[in-house]
Amino acid sequence: MPKFEPKTRETDASVEEFLSSVENETRRTDAFRVLEMFKRATGEEPKMWGPAIVGFGKEAVKYADGSSLDWLATGFSPRKQNMTLYVMSRSPKQPELLAKLGSHTTSKACLYIKRLSDVDEKVLERLIKDCVTYRKKKKG
Protein backbone atom coordinates (compact mmCIF):
# COMPACT_ATOMS: atom_id res chain seq x y z
CA MET A 1 0.00 0.00 0.00
CA PRO A 2 1.16 3.56 -0.60
CA LYS A 3 2.22 5.52 2.46
CA PHE A 4 -0.87 7.71 2.15
CA GLU A 5 -4.52 7.13 1.39
CA PRO A 6 -5.73 9.19 -1.57
CA LYS A 7 -8.87 11.30 -1.15
CA THR A 8 -9.92 10.47 -4.70
CA ARG A 9 -11.34 6.96 -4.76
CA GLU A 10 -14.08 5.25 -6.73
CA THR A 11 -17.47 5.78 -5.07
CA ASP A 12 -21.07 4.64 -5.57
CA ALA A 13 -22.32 8.22 -6.04
CA SER A 14 -24.53 8.90 -9.05
CA VAL A 15 -22.74 10.34 -12.10
CA GLU A 16 -26.01 11.75 -13.45
CA GLU A 17 -26.83 13.48 -10.15
CA PHE A 18 -23.35 14.98 -10.01
CA LEU A 19 -23.49 16.28 -13.58
CA SER A 20 -27.03 17.60 -13.04
CA SER A 21 -25.74 19.60 -10.07
CA VAL A 22 -23.20 21.55 -12.18
CA GLU A 23 -24.37 25.16 -11.79
CA ASN A 24 -23.21 26.63 -15.09
CA GLU A 25 -25.75 25.57 -17.72
CA THR A 26 -23.23 25.48 -20.61
CA ARG A 27 -20.74 23.46 -18.55
CA ARG A 28 -23.54 21.08 -17.46
CA THR A 29 -24.72 20.53 -21.07
CA ASP A 30 -21.12 20.09 -22.24
CA ALA A 31 -20.48 17.59 -19.43
CA PHE A 32 -23.35 15.36 -20.52
CA ARG A 33 -22.07 15.45 -24.11
CA VAL A 34 -18.53 14.62 -22.97
CA LEU A 35 -19.98 11.78 -20.87
CA GLU A 36 -21.41 10.22 -24.03
CA MET A 37 -18.08 10.62 -25.86
CA PHE A 38 -16.25 8.80 -23.06
CA LYS A 39 -18.86 6.02 -22.98
CA ARG A 40 -18.47 5.43 -26.73
CA ALA A 41 -14.67 5.68 -26.64
CA THR A 42 -14.12 3.44 -23.61
CA GLY A 43 -17.03 1.01 -23.73
CA GLU A 44 -17.09 1.42 -19.93
CA GLU A 45 -19.77 2.61 -17.55
CA PRO A 46 -18.88 5.83 -15.71
CA LYS A 47 -18.09 5.87 -11.99
CA MET A 48 -17.59 8.79 -9.65
CA TRP A 49 -14.08 9.18 -8.30
CA GLY A 50 -14.15 11.41 -5.27
CA PRO A 51 -16.77 14.16 -5.30
CA ALA A 52 -16.02 15.68 -8.72
CA ILE A 53 -14.36 13.31 -11.23
CA VAL A 54 -16.22 11.04 -13.63
CA GLY A 55 -13.93 8.09 -14.33
CA PHE A 56 -13.90 5.21 -16.80
CA GLY A 57 -12.05 2.02 -16.01
CA LYS A 58 -9.25 1.71 -13.51
CA GLU A 59 -5.64 0.75 -13.52
CA ALA A 60 -2.99 0.13 -10.91
CA VAL A 61 -0.56 2.99 -10.42
CA LYS A 62 2.78 1.62 -9.24
CA TYR A 63 5.20 3.54 -7.04
CA ALA A 64 8.98 3.29 -6.84
CA ASP A 65 8.71 1.47 -3.49
CA GLY A 66 6.68 -1.29 -5.16
CA SER A 67 3.33 -0.28 -3.69
CA SER A 68 0.33 0.45 -5.91
CA LEU A 69 -3.18 1.81 -5.82
CA ASP A 70 -6.16 1.81 -8.15
CA TRP A 71 -6.72 4.97 -10.18
CA LEU A 72 -9.14 5.88 -12.95
CA ALA A 73 -7.88 4.94 -16.41
CA THR A 74 -9.40 8.07 -17.97
CA GLY A 75 -12.16 10.54 -17.23
CA PHE A 76 -13.17 14.16 -16.84
CA SER A 77 -14.36 16.80 -14.42
CA PRO A 78 -16.56 19.82 -15.21
CA ARG A 79 -14.72 22.34 -13.03
CA LYS A 80 -15.66 26.01 -12.63
CA GLN A 81 -12.87 27.37 -14.84
CA ASN A 82 -12.88 24.67 -17.51
CA MET A 83 -13.64 21.09 -18.45
CA THR A 84 -10.71 18.97 -17.30
CA LEU A 85 -10.15 15.77 -19.26
CA TYR A 86 -7.68 13.14 -18.05
CA VAL A 87 -6.55 12.04 -21.50
CA MET A 88 -2.90 13.03 -21.89
CA SER A 89 -1.26 9.66 -22.62
CA ARG A 90 1.80 10.74 -24.66
CA SER A 91 0.52 8.72 -27.59
CA PRO A 92 2.42 9.38 -30.83
CA LYS A 93 -0.90 10.55 -32.37
CA GLN A 94 -1.64 13.13 -29.67
CA PRO A 95 0.33 16.09 -31.07
CA GLU A 96 -1.48 15.84 -34.42
CA LEU A 97 -4.89 15.50 -32.76
CA LEU A 98 -4.21 18.39 -30.38
CA ALA A 99 -3.17 20.58 -33.33
CA LYS A 100 -6.59 19.95 -34.93
CA LEU A 101 -8.64 20.21 -31.72
CA GLY A 102 -9.21 23.94 -31.34
CA SER A 103 -8.80 26.20 -28.32
CA HIS A 104 -7.36 24.27 -25.35
CA THR A 105 -4.47 24.04 -22.90
CA THR A 106 -2.69 21.00 -21.47
CA SER A 107 -0.65 19.89 -18.50
CA LYS A 108 1.26 16.66 -17.95
CA ALA A 109 -1.91 14.59 -17.48
CA CYS A 110 -4.82 16.87 -18.40
CA LEU A 111 -6.49 18.59 -21.30
CA TYR A 112 -8.44 21.76 -20.46
CA ILE A 113 -11.20 23.29 -22.57
CA LYS A 114 -13.48 26.22 -21.70
CA ARG A 115 -16.50 24.94 -23.65
CA LEU A 116 -17.19 22.34 -26.31
CA SER A 117 -18.03 25.01 -28.86
CA ASP A 118 -14.31 25.97 -28.75
CA VAL A 119 -13.17 22.58 -30.08
CA ASP A 120 -13.90 20.09 -32.85
CA GLU A 121 -15.97 17.44 -31.05
CA LYS A 122 -15.05 14.69 -33.52
CA VAL A 123 -11.36 15.36 -32.90
CA LEU A 124 -11.98 15.40 -29.13
CA GLU A 125 -13.65 12.00 -29.29
CA ARG A 126 -10.76 10.64 -31.39
CA LEU A 127 -8.36 12.03 -28.76
CA ILE A 128 -10.24 10.22 -25.99
CA LYS A 129 -10.30 6.97 -27.99
CA ASP A 130 -6.60 7.31 -28.80
CA CYS A 131 -5.80 7.71 -25.09
CA VAL A 132 -7.75 4.55 -24.23
CA THR A 133 -6.21 2.52 -27.08
CA TYR A 134 -2.67 3.69 -26.33
CA ARG A 135 -2.92 2.95 -22.60
CA LYS A 136 -4.31 -0.53 -23.25
CA LYS A 137 -1.56 -1.26 -25.78
CA LYS A 138 1.10 0.04 -23.39
CA LYS A 139 -0.17 -2.19 -20.54
CA GLY A 140 -0.51 -5.09 -22.86
Side-chain angles (χ1 to χ4, degrees):
M1 281 298 291
K3 294 180 174 127
F4 68 95
E5 287 297 317
K7 291 180 187 177
T8 305
R9 296 170 165 242
E10 185 177 339
T11 72
D12 291 328
S14 167
V15 170
E16 286 74 19
E17 283 180 26
F18 166 65
L19 295 180
S20 293
S21 74
V22 173
E23 288 184 26
N24 180 290
E25 185 178 346
T26 301
R27 181 98 53 237
R28 183 173 55 250
T29 301
D30 286 355
F32 276 105
R33 286 172 50 199
V34 168
L35 175 69
E36 293 306 314
M37 287 181 201
F38 271 93
K39 283 182 177 180
R40 285 190 298 271
T42 66
E44 304 261 353
E45 284 301 309
K47 296 283 188 177
M48 288 302 300
W49 283 75
I53 298 174
V54 178
F56 294 83
K58 62 179 145 183
E59 55 190 35
V61 175
K62 297 188 192 259
Y63 293 91
D65 68 1
S67 64
S68 68
L69 65 85
D70 284 336
W71 190 249
L72 60 119
T74 190
F76 71 97
S77 183
R79 305 208 185 270
K80 269 191 180 175
Q81 292 292 84
N82 51 48
M83 183 79 68
T84 302
L85 295 91
Y86 302 93
V87 296
M88 299 307 292
S89 65
R90 292 175 194 70
S91 151
K93 295 179 184 176
Q94 270 194 345
E96 178 186 340
L97 290 168
L98 290 170
K100 295 177 181 178
L101 182 61
S103 183
H104 71 278
T105 58
T106 62
S107 67
K108 186 175 180 179
C110 301
L111 168 69
Y112 306 98
I113 58 175
K114 293 267 185 215
R115 55 197 153 273
L116 278 180
S117 60
D118 291 342
V119 299
D120 182 322
E121 290 185 39
K122 289 181 181 177
V123 174
L124 179 59
E125 192 162 344
R126 284 183 18 224
L127 193 68
I128 295 166
K129 181 70 175 168
D130 177 65
C131 170
V132 172
T133 303
Y134 182 74
R135 290 185 110 148
K136 282 181 181 176
K137 193 183 298 182
K138 200 172 168 189
K139 281 189 347 189

